[in-house]
């Protein structure tokens, strides 16, 4: 117990003394989250720029929503490529008999898709108007009630509200990712330093149990992970105004679990690295792929075997659990399975670390 | 405790390979109470591996190692061994006191006992004034001395020092050897590896390790006689030539 406490106290002191690392752990996630919040929230109200020739029916242009498009009028469609480039248009529309011909700039395919759906809607709307106009003119039997075709849409949302942005969706995953990333990196590097400076040899030349060393590390870095999570979550709620529907306590517990998993994986992986630089080389192999599978990109559409990869990555369970709690407001029942699997990761890698230290001392 | 012949550590017919490379072959050494044994030999000859096998950090392929009569590797025995490796092995962001406290705790010492041990050993290496300084600000010699103080902290009966005087100036080196001799007279056993030949002269026993074998073992005078040399340095050079 003395040994465990000694390791714990030393780890905490070392982190506090290393101001830069501390700042990296605590402030870097906040900086990145703030930037992402700005980036993903600001581009939602940009207008699509459309070039339209006079041959395009007025009706259709009028049924395009004003809030979403800005229309540039042209006499003809000559050199429409230059016109697109000159005015930085997203699409150029002209009419050829009963066909609307649309040329997309397509630098950003999502904008092209938006224009496509806007025109599809516009055509539909103008068709419905014509239809209702003809219906009005039709001689109707007096007994039939006039059915009004003036449908209105009322939107309601299972999760979130009409103001939900992409940032809201990825925020839970991001929290998990930051906790994982920084703890993984810092704990791995800490163990490498122990090895290269010779302190690991000296540690293991004392009667400390290998498990006490690993648990001391877990507790020390675990504490800072809690602090980090608290800071990120509170910052997000009160400064970035992100709404967290579920229980804040569950969010914290999930992140502590994520941090511990990151810690044991970082410690484990560091045994395969001989320097801090080699530890950095594990980032593209171990950390980055987890981002793709953590729920930022929808997995439903992926091939089955690709989905299988996500089952092997701890961050996918973390992302799942955090989304369940923060966006869907679900409770322990929904995330118990994710927690269990994270726990399994934790136990396996803790065990591997304790055994792996045998490399440096045979008992 | 005055029995000079009590064997504290022994390593018998020890062999060890790393992959294809044979690092130790048939090493036999006995270290007795009150003895300073010096291991000399060229770099890569197997001095450090011998020490690591004795401590139980490496496992022997054949042969055995024992400390205080217990077969190594044995975790509990490590409590009675003071070890100082080739690197200083200090936490640079911590103060000298924090380093000492940490390693003292790992050896199982706490409270007043620890404070007393720290005060005693820090003055032994002349670092009392720097106790509260961050280690990163230390000079190379100061780090080495602090490292030595840590090795001696738990008042171990067996002290294993891997090149303890590297980077230490001559007068301090003399001090350290005076200390080691003082420790030996209170019946501690000390194993030292060294490159400095005049240090080897100060040992009770010198083991010359070349290519993983004990090339010669005896008192400095015995070795000098055997190789017809006037100093251990000459012994070393002659041994290196004749082993090729």
């Amino acid at each position: 117990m003395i040994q465990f406490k000694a390791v714990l106290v030393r780890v905490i002191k070392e982190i506090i003394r290393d101001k830069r690392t501390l700042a990296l752990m605590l402030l870097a996630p906040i900086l990145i989250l703030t930037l992402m919040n700005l980036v993903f929230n600001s581009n939602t109200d940009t207008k699509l720029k459309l070039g339209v020739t006079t041959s395009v029916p007025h009706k259709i242009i009028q049924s395009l929503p004003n809030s979403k498009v800005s229309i540039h009028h042209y006499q003809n469609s000559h050199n429409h490529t230059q016109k697109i480039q000159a005015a930085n248009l997203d699409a150029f529309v002209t009419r050829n008999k009963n066909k609307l011909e649309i040329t997309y700039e397509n630098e950003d395919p999502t904008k092209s898709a938006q224009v496509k759906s806007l025109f599809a809607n516009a055509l539909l709307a103008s068709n419905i108007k014509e239809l209702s106009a003809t219906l009005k003119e039709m001689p109707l039997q007096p007994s039939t009630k006039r059915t009004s075709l003036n449908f209105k849409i009322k939107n309601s949302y299972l999760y979130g509200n009409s103001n939900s942005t992409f940032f809201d969706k990825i925020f839970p995953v991001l929290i998990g990712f930051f906790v994982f990333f920084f703890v993984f990196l810092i704990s791995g590097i800490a163990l490498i330093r122990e090895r290269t400076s010779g302190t690991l040899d000296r540690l293991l030349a004392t009667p400390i149990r290998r498990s006490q060393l690993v648990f001391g590390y877990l507790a020390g870095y675990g504490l800072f992970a809690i602090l980090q999570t608290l800071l990120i979550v509170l910052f997000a709620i009160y400064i970035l105004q992100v709404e967290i529907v579920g229980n804040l306590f569950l969010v914290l517990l999930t992140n502590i679990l994520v941090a511990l998993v990151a810690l044991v994986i970082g410690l484990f992986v560091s045994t395969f690295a001989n320097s801090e630089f080699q530890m950095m080389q594990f980032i593209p192999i171990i950390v980055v792929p987890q981002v793709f599978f953590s729920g930022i990109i929808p997995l439903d559409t992926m091939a089955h075997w690709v989905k299988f990869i996500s089952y092997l990555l701890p961050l996918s369970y973390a992302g799942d659990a955090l989304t369940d709690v923060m966006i869907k407001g679900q409770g322990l029942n929904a995330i118990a399975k994710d927690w269990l699997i994270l726990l399994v990761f934790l136990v396996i890698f803790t065990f591997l670390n304790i055994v792996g230290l045998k490399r440096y001392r045979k008992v | 405790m005055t029995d000079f012949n009590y064997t504290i550590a022994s390593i018998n017919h020890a062999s060890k390979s790393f992959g294809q490379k044979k690092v130790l072959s048939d090493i036999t050494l006995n270290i007795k109470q009150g003895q300073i044994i010096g291991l000399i030999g060229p770099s890569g000859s197997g001095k450090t591996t011998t020490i690591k096998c004795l401590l139980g950090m490496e496992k022997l392929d054949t042969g055995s190692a024992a400390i205080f009569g217990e077969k190594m590797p044995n975790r509990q025995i490590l409590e009675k061994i003071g070890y100082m490796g080739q690197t200083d092995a200090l936490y640079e962001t911590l103060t000298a006191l924090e380093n000492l406290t940490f390693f003292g705790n790992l050896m199982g010492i706490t409270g007043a006992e620890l404070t007393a041990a720290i005060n005693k050993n820090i003055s032994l290496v002349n670092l009392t004034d720097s106790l509260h300084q961050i280690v990163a600000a230390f000079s190379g010699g100061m780090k080495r001395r602090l490292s030595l103080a840590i090795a001696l902290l738990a008042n171990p009966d067996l002290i294993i020092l891997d090149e303890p005087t590297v980077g230490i100036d001559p007068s301090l080196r003399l001090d350290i050897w005076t200390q080691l001799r003082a420790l030996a007279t209170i019946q501690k056993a000390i194993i030292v590896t060294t490159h400095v030949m005049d240090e080897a002269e100060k040992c009770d026993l010198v083991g010359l390790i070349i290519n993983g074998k004990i090339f010669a073992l005896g008192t400095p005078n015995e070795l000098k006689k055997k190789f017809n040399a006037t100093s251990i340095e000459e012994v070393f050079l002659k041994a290196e030539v004749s082993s090729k």
Side-chain angles (χ1 to χ4, degrees), chain A residues 2-8 10 13-15 17-18 193-194 196-210 212-213 217 358-363, chain B residues 52 55-59 73-76 78-79 81 83-85 87-95 98 102-103 105-110 134 147-148 150-151:
Chain A
I2 308 169
Q3 280 97 343
F4 164 77
K5 214 181 109 193
V7 175
L8 171 62
R10 195 214 81 212
K13 273 186 185 159
E14 272 197 304
I15 300 175
R17 295 282 159 78
D18 191 351
R193 271 197 214 150
E194 290 252 29
T196 50
S197 71
T199 47
L200 185 63
D201 268 353
R202 173 165 250 166
L203 267 174
L204 292 174
T206 72
I208 189 175
R209 285 173 192 276
R210 283 172 283 126
Q212 284 174 320
L213 179 59
Y217 258 77
K358 272 202 171 178
R359 253 177 68 169
Y360 309 107
R361 188 180 73 187
K362 303 305 168 200
V363 283
Chain B
K52 288 201 161 173
L55 279 170
M57 293 169 124
E58 297 290 349
K59 205 167 192 163
N74 180 324
R75 191 175 54 81
Q76 290 300 335
L78 293 172
E79 211 174 82
I81 304 173
Y83 167 72
M84 171 175 157
T87 50
D88 293 323
L90 301 167
Y91 295 99
E92 300 252 328
T93 51
L94 304 186
T95 65
E98 285 163 341
F102 174 63
F103 285 109
N105 283 339
L106 290 195
M107 294 299 270
I109 326 171
T110 50
I134 300 280
S147 189
L148 184 65
I150 291 172

Side-chain angles (χ1 to χ4, degrees), chain A residues 158-160 166-177 243-247 250-251 254-255 258 293-297 299 315-331 334-335 338-339:
Chain A
L158 190 51
Y159 308 121
F166 184 60
F167 182 74
D168 292 315
K169 173 182 160 35
I170 62 170
F171 177 67
V173 180
L174 280 180
I175 291 188
F177 169 73
E243 197 189 353
I244 292 178
V245 188
N247 190 336
L250 291 181
V251 175
T254 309
N255 276 310
V258 172
F293 291 98
S294 58
I296 290 182
I297 300 160
L299 286 167
L315 212 50
S316 63
Y317 299 101
D320 196 39
L322 289 169
T323 308
D324 281 353
V325 177
M326 294 170 68
I327 296 182
K328 302 184 184 173
Q330 290 173 331
I335 60 171
D338 294 313
W339 275 18

Side-chain angles (χ1 to χ4, degrees), chain B residues 45-62:
Chain B
S45 59
K47 301 185 297 282
T48 300
T49 311
T50 306
I51 284 175
K52 288 201 161 173
C53 287
L54 189 61
L55 279 170
M57 293 169 124
E58 297 290 349
K59 205 167 192 163
L60 290 167
D61 298 337
T62 59

Side-chain angles (χ1 to χ4, degrees), chain B residues 35-198:
Chain B
Q35 236 178 11
I36 302 180
I37 183 163
L39 300 178
I40 60 172
S43 311
S45 59
K47 301 185 297 282
T48 300
T49 311
T50 306
I51 284 175
K52 288 201 161 173
C53 287
L54 189 61
L55 279 170
M57 293 169 124
E58 297 290 349
K59 205 167 192 163
L60 290 167
D61 298 337
T62 59
S64 65
I67 296 178
F68 307 118
E70 298 280 345
K71 194 174 182 310
M72 297 301 284
N74 180 324
R75 191 175 54 81
Q76 290 300 335
I77 290 293
L78 293 172
E79 211 174 82
K80 300 179 204 160
I81 304 173
Y83 167 72
M84 171 175 157
Q86 270 180 20
T87 50
D88 293 323
L90 301 167
Y91 295 99
E92 300 252 328
T93 51
L94 304 186
T95 65
L97 179 63
E98 285 163 341
N99 270 284
L100 285 159
T101 309
F102 174 63
F103 285 109
N105 283 339
L106 290 195
M107 294 299 270
I109 326 171
T110 50
E113 193 192 348
L114 180 64
T115 314
I118 287 175
N119 289 336
K120 182 182 145 207
N121 285 290
I122 202 75
S123 67
L124 196 76
V125 294
N126 267 325
L127 282 176
T128 310
D129 294 338
S130 312
L131 196 57
H132 296 283
Q133 258 180 41
I134 300 280
V135 172
F138 276 25
S139 70
M142 287 165 85
K143 286 181 189 168
R144 207 76 197 128
R145 277 143 64 197
L146 178 59
S147 189
L148 184 65
I150 291 172
L152 300 178
L153 198 58
N155 192 25
D157 291 322
L158 173 63
I159 301 159
I160 300 179
L161 309 169
D162 204 353
E163 311 210 348
T165 53
V166 171
I168 292 191
D169 58 71
S171 68
L172 191 71
R173 182 186 298 167
L174 214 64
D175 278 0
I176 287 177
W177 273 94
T178 314
Q179 288 304 333
L180 291 183
R181 182 47 72 192
L183 288 165
T185 52
I186 56 165
Q187 302 306 310
K188 308 278 183 197
I190 301 167
I191 304 176
V192 173
T193 71
T194 183
H195 271 129
V196 186
M197 293 306 151
D198 67 318

Side-chain angles (χ1 to χ4, degrees), chain B residues 197-198 201 220-238:
Chain B
M197 293 306 151
D198 67 318
E201 309 255 9
N221 283 331
E222 279 168 9
L223 289 188
K224 279 186 256 184
K225 209 180 269 175
K226 188 176 168 192
F227 286 89
N228 195 18
T230 55
S231 68
I232 291 291
E233 187 155 16
E234 216 183 317
V235 171
F236 184 82
L237 292 171
K238 282 186 176 173

